[in-house]
Amino acid sequence: MRFMMKALELNQILELISKHAKSDTIRNEIIHLEPMTDLQSIHLALDETMDMTALILRAGVLPFLEDFDIHELLKYASLDRVFSIQELLYVRLFLLMERDIIKYYKELDRLKISARSLTPYFQNMHTHRSLLDYIQSKIDEDGQILDDATPELLKIRKEKSRLDKQLQDKLQKFLIDHSAYLNELVIVQRNDRFCIPVKDTYKNKIKGVVHDFSASKQTVYIEPEATRQITALIEHLKVDEEKEIQKIIASLSEEVHNAHASLKDNLDLFLGLDFISSKAQYALKLNAMKPQINDVGTISLIKAKHPLLDQKTAVPITLELNKDIKTLLITGPNTGGKTVALKTVGLLTLMTQCGILIPASEASNVAVFDQVFADIGDEQSILQSLSTFSSHLNKIISMIEGVKDNTLVLLDELGSGTDPNEGVSLAIAILNAFKPFDIRMMVTTHYSELKSYAYEQPNMTTASVAFDKKTLKPLYYLQMGTTGSSHAFLIARRLGLKEEVVQDAETIYQGRQTDLAKVMEKLNDEMLYIEKQKENLADEIEESRNAKLEFQRSKELLLAEQDKTIEKVRAKEEKAYNELKDEVREMIVMLQKKNEISKPEIAAIKYKLNQQKDNEKLVAFEDELQVDDLVFILPYQQYGKIKSIKNDDCRVVFGKFDLVFKSYDLRKEEPKKEPNKAVKTEKISIGDTPARSAKFELDLRGYRFDEVKEAMDQALDSAILSGLETMRIIHGFGSGAVRKAVYDYIKSSPYIKTHRFGGEGEGLNGVTIITLK
């Protein structure tokens, strides 16, 4: 009587769970499952079930075979018994399942899916791959011994096959040679021997052994003497074949015997996983969750549903019992959900203590009890009560005699089925009988006196099942802290009872209603309003919590994406950098081999050096380019005009150059007016467009001797690319060091045609005018 499981319909839940099991052993274990009371054991069972649901959702159900339990075979294995072919096939299937389960775990590891509390099951598994390979090398999936199982068997079967063919050939030849004596040209078997159908009148013409006669006695079935010797050899080979097969079976059996201990270990692990998997698959159908559990008597169910109701339409309930509120009195109209609430609490408690996930919010908290008592009628269904006063009382008597601390007591319609005054008195007395014990109790009733009694008790509270006064239909959820009415007047008025009769009833009721009852009714209305506000607030908190979780998930995803993107960009840029280094090394090697470099070669080298990597190409907008468009050339940092376009290649003319570029190296430009005045620049960078069309000025005043060569290089490169013919070099008078550096450069440069000092108005000897080739 510790756990009244049938009254709370736990047996039906276990029956549903057992349908998911793959072995008879586990089906039977589930059917006879009983609630646990050890907190740690319950924690582990719930964790395993919850972790299994996660594995099923992400990787699928474990690949168990139907009826994989081979414990009987393994028991025989320990006795060194020789197995039959069929039994060896069962072992083979078990080993194939073992291989698939190990493969399943390896796949979890590859996908980085943690098995969490289930990890020991997988890590403790033994591998019998060599045994499986050995069995598969001897027998096929249909149980036939393979020809090459042993060299001796292969030799026997080859010889047998040769003799079989020889026998058939002889019989066919015999048919043709003696066709005149035969009724039909066919070969038949009689007594496992090949015979020919000889006419009765010619039976003495054929030498051989008579094995049978036809029903009409007109045909005699004779085994020819000419084939009897071959047949005898075949029979002898069959005997040898059977002996060799028995040796093979004995060898296979011995291998299974040697591995029976590790096979037994694996079987136990598989049965444990089958048990957990069955609970997990049922939990997924219910969308069940793992609640928190405690051993201090706290019951806090949030959005809990009875598992046997349709989960899509069932209305969830929320309630709480703890050390301060030990008893909950539920009131309300008939068929309003009072009994469902009672059964939901009791059944979910038993399920939790059986390690079964429950259809409730994961924030729920379920107490672990040593006993669960329930008086919910004789085989009462969820929707109606057919219990009698005597059956109620008999059960309650047993409860009072067996009650102790840490017990959950569920009493439906306490005190009903007898005179109301006596029933109320008896109900209060029964409640008083349970008061000395530290228990948790839920009671349903219609009695107003019990409602008053509940308000007077320090550790007792009330709840009512919600009722829609407009439609006169129950809403099935609980409203904590309120007392419900039977709503008899509302129902009578809606059903058409005369108004004066209803008003008379209400007048009589108000006259009998005490002041305390009136205050309770007013308080009840206020409590209903507060409960409604609490529900709204709880919904908002839940929405905020979900939004926060979603934000956190999004943040983590973005950070992960950011890390991936940074790593991708880093790898790409590092690769581009290495490619550039390789190109520069190649250029250096090439330049070292050349004594002289032509202008086109210099331009080509500069083109390579100025090439932009893919970054700009990726982010730049593509312009619609046409012939005669003015464009800006990105690699050369110069302006030019498009002369022709072919696919993605554009021929562009700029200065003295006529080159082909990809469209992504060009940017469309509006035509610009040439400025009237020259713009002086202190230093010149390769690729700057000259301000003048025919002159270019380089001011070297303030430069050191060793800085002149680099400045001249850059200025000449720019002038050549721009198509300029002359340049004005300002070196000043000073000490003459800069002028000497300029003239040293002019003497060594192959690109300068002539040079002279400046004339009047050009700067005289402080300036040198050069002409380019």
Side-chain angles (χ1 to χ4, degrees), residues 133-140 144-146 149-150 248 252:
D133 291 342
Y134 185 71
I135 293 175
Q136 290 185 319
S137 70
K138 305 300 181 185
I139 57 177
D140 64 15
Q144 298 297 317
I145 302 295
L146 298 174
T150 63
I248 293 169
L252 290 171

Side-chain angles (χ1 to χ4, degrees), residues 102-349:
I102 292 173
K103 183 179 178 182
Y104 178 96
Y105 180 61
K106 289 180 179 178
E107 184 67 12
L108 293 181
D109 189 54
R110 188 186 70 81
L111 297 173
K112 300 191 183 311
I113 300 173
S114 173
R116 300 172 69 86
S117 62
L118 300 174
T119 301
Y121 285 91
F122 293 105
Q123 291 183 341
N124 291 331
M125 287 180 190
H126 302 279
T127 301
H128 299 95
R129 187 56 190 259
S130 59
L131 177 58
L132 174 61
D133 291 342
Y134 185 71
I135 293 175
Q136 290 185 319
S137 70
K138 305 300 181 185
I139 57 177
D140 64 15
E141 60 186 12
D142 297 321
Q144 298 297 317
I145 302 295
L146 298 174
D147 291 346
D148 57 354
T150 63
E152 183 63 24
L153 182 63
L154 181 61
K155 177 182 175 183
I156 291 170
R157 286 185 173 175
K158 280 185 176 180
E159 180 63 18
K160 183 168 164 286
S161 177
R162 186 185 69 79
L163 291 177
D164 281 337
K165 186 177 183 306
Q166 185 178 338
L167 176 62
Q168 292 297 322
D169 291 343
K170 279 204 171 190
L171 287 170
Q172 291 294 336
K173 185 175 184 304
F174 196 89
L175 286 177
I176 295 169
D177 294 344
H178 300 81
S179 58
Y181 304 140
L182 307 179
N183 272 336
E184 294 179 87
L185 293 177
V186 295
I187 300 170
V188 297
Q189 271 195 311
R190 291 293 186 273
N191 300 326
D192 294 329
R193 296 298 179 103
F194 289 108
C195 302
I196 55 176
V198 182
K199 295 175 183 177
D200 183 63
T201 54
Y202 298 114
K203 62 183 179 182
N204 294 324
K205 297 285 186 181
I206 305 296
K207 290 184 179 182
V209 177
V210 176
H211 284 281
D212 200 4
F213 295 90
S214 66
S216 63
K217 306 296 182 183
Q218 297 298 312
T219 303
V220 181
Y221 297 102
I222 300 174
E223 178 186 7
E225 186 68 30
T227 63
R228 288 188 66 204
Q229 185 178 2
I230 298 175
T231 303
L233 290 173
I234 291 174
E235 290 298 322
H236 180 73
L237 287 173
K238 284 182 179 180
V239 173
D240 291 343
E241 179 185 24
E242 184 59 30
K243 288 180 180 179
E244 189 63 23
I245 287 174
Q246 290 304 316
K247 288 181 182 178
I248 293 169
I249 292 174
S251 175
L252 290 171
S253 300
E254 184 179 359
E255 292 297 323
V256 175
H257 297 159
N258 294 335
H260 85 274
S262 55
L263 287 171
K264 177 67 168 58
D265 291 341
N266 275 9
L267 176 60
D268 292 339
L269 293 171
F270 295 159
L271 291 174
L273 288 171
D274 187 25
F275 176 72
I276 298 167
S277 178
S278 302
K279 294 191 295 178
Q281 290 177 68
Y282 177 72
L284 288 172
K285 290 182 67 175
L286 285 181
N287 194 25
M289 303 298 293
K290 176 200 170 187
Q292 303 174 49
I293 60 174
N294 66 89
D295 56 1
V296 294
T298 298
I299 300 176
S300 177
L301 292 180
I302 302 171
K303 295 182 179 179
K305 297 180 180 180
H306 194 289
L308 293 178
L309 295 178
D310 185 347
Q311 298 298 295
K312 294 180 181 178
T313 58
V315 179
I317 64 169
T318 298
L319 60 84
E320 182 167 359
L321 289 173
N322 50 49
K323 63 179 182 179
D324 298 319
I325 304 173
K326 298 181 178 181
T327 303
L328 178 64
L329 182 73
I330 305 176
T331 59
N334 286 328
T335 69
K338 300 190 302 297
T339 303
V340 174
L342 223 61
K343 283 191 171 183
T344 300
V345 173
L347 181 54
L348 297 193
T349 297

Side-chain angles (χ1 to χ4, degrees), residues 29 56 63 106 223 265 327 329 346 357 367 394 431 456 477 482 485 539 585 587 637 696 732:
E29 184 176 334
I56 292 173
K106 289 180 179 178
E223 178 186 7
D265 291 341
T327 303
L329 182 73
L357 304 185
N394 283 330
L431 293 177
E456 296 170 358
Y477 64 85
T482 65
S485 168
D539 290 341
R585 289 193 188 100
M587 288 183 190
Q637 299 292 295
F696 191 84

Side-chain angles (χ1 to χ4, degrees), residues 606-660:
K606 291 183 180 295
Y607 175 78
K608 279 188 177 181
L609 291 174
N610 287 320
Q611 281 288 332
Q612 298 292 318
K613 282 298 170 185
D614 295 340
N615 293 350
E616 190 171 349
K617 297 173 190 174
L618 290 172
V619 298
F621 296 101
E622 292 187 4
D623 297 316
E624 191 69 33
L625 300 176
Q626 297 178 352
V627 176
D628 292 331
D629 278 348
L630 181 64
V631 293
F632 184 69
I633 307 167
L634 294 176
Y636 282 84
Q637 299 292 295
Q638 302 293 330
Y639 292 98
K641 182 179 284 187
I642 298 177
K643 289 301 180 182
S644 65
I645 300 176
K646 184 177 181 181
N647 298 328
D648 200 35
D649 297 326
C650 301
R651 187 169 66 86
V652 181
V653 173
F654 64 105
K656 293 183 179 180
F657 295 93
D658 186 340
L659 299 175
V660 175

